[in-house]
Amino acid sequence: MKLTDLSQGLTRIGLGCMNLSHAYGTPPSEEEGIKMLQQAFDLGVRHFDTAALYGFGRNETLVGKALSGNRDQLFLASKCGMTGVDGKRVIDGRPETLVATLDAALERLQTDHIDLYYLHRWDKNVPIEDSVGALSRLVEAGKIGAIGLSEVSADTIAKAHAVHPIAAVQTEYSLWTRNAELAVLGACESLGIAFVAFSPLARGFLADGVASPEVLEEGDIRRNMPRFKEPNFSSNAELLASFKFKAAELNITPAQLSLAWLLAKSPNIYPIPGTRYFSHLEENMAAANVSLSAAVIAELDALINQSTVSGGRYPPATQAEIDTEEFA
């Protein structure tokens, strides 16, 4: 199955699986995670996105346990190049590391191939051509169906694509994170590459899921993100109030308005919101049926954008690791 096979109906919205195992405070139990994944499949989700990093392998294991019985009906995506080593996050794009990471992922996912395998981060100590070259040999071996990149610039995409066709680029994209509009969206369109939008609900903020910074648990990555710290949070909350008013005016939820805005931007965009709750999953999937007028889209563009949002999306150390273009 190809990502473009999911271009119609509810299936265009996938499921980001990270928060079932990683980075957002205490994860649900394995039993609850498996139930969530199976409910997503039953609801029509076919695009499931995981990574070796998430839970340091636990998320791939969870996805394998929950969905291996339906493997032939899934578009399964995972990532390499950023893993857990001795309890710490490590970026390593050396060919031998990518091969070893894939072999472990196949075992955890209970499959003999992964439909889309991303380089999670470009290891700036390794030429992108070397990392993509290693992945291309895994395509030839039948272990992965297609190659993806995550959090890279248009220049890096072009260099990688010259080595082997890149099927998808994944990066953060929502009303409050517009970096992809600088060059990556255009590069994807011109090269025929699908664009996968992670954190399309602004890490829960645009779904009205974060009442205040104080509600975030220890271990929640948002606690260290500038936009979730004061005084930025209060400034952004003022934007959210207007956004919620517009959603109510349209008789939809803020989450649905966020996703509908993304879907309206281009048929080449595939959002992968994450959630732990079936009610939120149903809400997110229903966004595929929402149609926004050009006037509403323009109003949202003016309300929440790189000039009106307060704070960077990552702390400086994390920002230095990624390759995406940044607004001045």
Side-chain angles (χ1 to χ4, degrees), residues 228-309:
F228 289 92
K229 292 184 175 183
E230 295 294 4
N232 295 328
F233 186 89
S234 292
S235 178
N236 294 328
E238 294 179 10
L239 300 177
L240 181 62
S242 298
F243 183 72
K244 288 165 59 179
F245 181 83
K246 173 54 64 174
E249 190 177 77
L250 296 171
N251 199 32
I252 56 177
T253 69
Q256 289 167 344
L257 183 56
S258 302
L259 292 169
W261 174 85
L262 260 181
L263 294 171
K265 281 291 176 178
S266 167
N268 193 48
I269 294 174
Y270 298 82
I272 49 168
T275 184
R276 302 176 182 183
Y277 305 104
F278 183 67
S279 60
H280 292 173
L281 178 67
E282 288 185 305
E283 177 186 348
N284 292 344
M285 296 297 282
N289 298 318
V290 175
S291 180
L292 301 180
S293 69
V296 168
I297 292 170
E299 185 178 349
L300 297 177
D301 281 336
L303 175 64
I304 302 178
N305 58 60
Q306 69 277 3
S307 298
T308 62
V309 170

Side-chain angles (χ1 to χ4, degrees), residues 90-325:
V90 173
I91 296 174
D92 185 349
R94 293 175 297 170
E96 61 270 27
T97 301
L98 305 185
V99 171
T101 303
L102 173 64
D103 287 341
L106 292 173
E107 184 174 348
R108 288 190 291 259
L109 288 163
Q110 301 182 36
T111 186
D112 61 358
H113 74 286
I114 295 172
D115 297 301
L116 174 61
Y117 206 47
Y118 294 94
L119 187 66
H120 205 160
R121 291 291 184 274
W122 170 37
D123 180 350
K124 297 177 182 179
N125 296 311
V126 179
I128 189 66
E129 293 88 347
D130 291 358
S131 296
V132 172
L135 294 176
S136 73
R137 291 187 288 275
L138 296 173
V139 173
E140 292 168 3
K143 291 186 175 183
I144 61 178
I147 299 172
L149 301 174
S150 178
E151 292 277 41
V152 291
S153 65
D155 181 59
T156 300
I157 293 168
K159 290 177 181 178
H161 197 70
V163 175
H164 187 279
I166 301 301
V169 169
Q170 179 176 143
T171 196
E172 183 174 355
Y173 189 38
S174 68
L175 276 159
W176 86 342
T177 298
R178 304 291 197 91
N179 306 68
E181 295 176 357
L182 287 169
V184 168
L185 284 173
C188 288
E189 290 280 359
S190 65
L191 294 172
I193 298 171
F195 183 91
V196 176
F198 77 76
S199 296
L201 302 179
R203 301 185 187 275
F205 183 81
L206 290 176
D208 196 23
V210 185
S212 72
E214 288 73 29
V215 306
L216 301 175
E217 289 184 48
E218 289 291 336
D220 190 315
I221 57 172
R222 293 171 291 185
R223 290 173 64 94
N224 292 319
M225 291 179 170
R227 292 177 182 176
F228 289 92
K229 292 184 175 183
E230 295 294 4
N232 295 328
F233 186 89
S234 292
S235 178
N236 294 328
E238 294 179 10
L239 300 177
L240 181 62
S242 298
F243 183 72
K244 288 165 59 179
F245 181 83
K246 173 54 64 174
E249 190 177 77
L250 296 171
N251 199 32
I252 56 177
T253 69
Q256 289 167 344
L257 183 56
S258 302
L259 292 169
W261 174 85
L262 260 181
L263 294 171
K265 281 291 176 178
S266 167
N268 193 48
I269 294 174
Y270 298 82
I272 49 168
T275 184
R276 302 176 182 183
Y277 305 104
F278 183 67
S279 60
H280 292 173
L281 178 67
E282 288 185 305
E283 177 186 348
N284 292 344
M285 296 297 282
N289 298 318
V290 175
S291 180
L292 301 180
S293 69
V296 168
I297 292 170
E299 185 178 349
L300 297 177
D301 281 336
L303 175 64
I304 302 178
N305 58 60
Q306 69 277 3
S307 298
T308 62
V309 170
S310 297
R313 67 184 180 115
Y314 287 131
T318 305
Q319 186 64 50
E321 295 175 346
I322 64 173
D323 180 48
T324 48
E325 291 85 358

